[in-house]
Amino acid sequence: WSNLIVPKSNETMCSIGCLITSVSIQIAKSGTETKVGNFDPGIAMNSFSFVDGGNFIWDSARNFAPNFIYKTSISLVGMNKTNIIRKLNSYDSNKYYIVLHVARINSSSPSHFVAMDYVNESNNDIYMIDPASNEINLYNMYKIYTAHIYEKRI
């Protein structure tokens, strides 16, 4: 699926599909019902909606997973690490699934998305599933700009 072209773009999933992949990871992690049984991000992408440039329409995840509802975006710019962790940890991990818009540590421009796995307040870390690497500790590679929150409705 990495060579599939993202709708309304000339780019492949491999080059710009980190958001689609991160949303797909969270859908799978939530265990919510989807319109197909087993799936990968390429299959999910076929149900998602996009605007020009391949930009994802956040609420379109429900086209594929009807009970996976986009709730809100939260800017985390200007917050310190402890407050970001508290804020993200305030969302019940059995009900809410979070996609993070991030930038590499040495960059000032967010250009990547990861699926938040869990928050560990005791060691002040956020763990992630990163479509572009095997790193699991978010703060080893990235700084967070925005959290996009999905809710699994039962």
Side-chain angles (χ1 to χ4, degrees):
W1 50 266
S2 69
N3 291 320
L4 294 173
I5 300 296
V6 174
K8 298 196 177 185
S9 81
N10 294 317
E11 301 289 337
T12 64
M13 282 283 287
C14 184
S15 63
I16 66 166
C18 58
L19 173 55
I20 298 163
T21 303
S22 294
V23 171
S24 297
I25 288 167
Q26 294 297 41
I27 290 170
K29 190 175 166 207
S30 77
T32 192
E33 186 177 329
T34 63
K35 294 197 173 186
V36 299
N38 293 329
F39 71 94
D40 61 43
I43 292 170
M45 177 182 70
N46 291 327
S47 294
F48 295 161
S49 299
F50 301 85
V51 295
D52 289 342
N55 292 310
F56 177 69
I57 298 173
W58 289 96
D59 195 40
S60 72
R62 70 172 26 175
N63 297 344
F64 181 71
N67 294 314
F68 199 72
I69 310 301
Y70 184 66
K71 296 303 286 180
T72 192
S73 294
I74 300 167
S75 175
L76 302 171
V77 174
M79 292 176 70
N80 66 34
K81 183 178 176 182
T82 300
N83 288 336
I84 289 172
I85 287 170
R86 278 191 196 127
K87 181 69 172 173
L88 294 177
N89 206 32
S90 71
Y91 288 91
D92 178 347
S93 62
N94 293 311
K95 184 176 180 180
Y96 295 99
Y97 297 84
I98 300 174
V99 173
L100 300 170
H101 196 191
V102 298
R104 292 210 176 266
I105 290 172
N106 58 357
S107 173
S108 61
S109 177
S111 61
H112 186 53
F113 292 90
V114 299
M116 188 179 89
D117 194 10
Y118 65 95
V119 173
N120 185 327
E121 274 194 80
S122 64
N123 70 357
N124 211 31
D125 276 317
I126 296 173
Y127 292 88
M128 66 177 172
I129 303 166
D130 185 355
S133 80
N134 291 322
E135 178 63 54
I136 60 170
N137 187 315
L138 185 132
Y139 285 110
N140 285 347
M141 288 185 69
Y142 302 115
K143 50 191 170 187
I144 305 171
Y145 282 75
T146 311
H148 300 276
I149 316 294
Y150 282 91
E151 178 184 1
K152 175 187 173 183
R153 294 218 176 124
I154 298 174

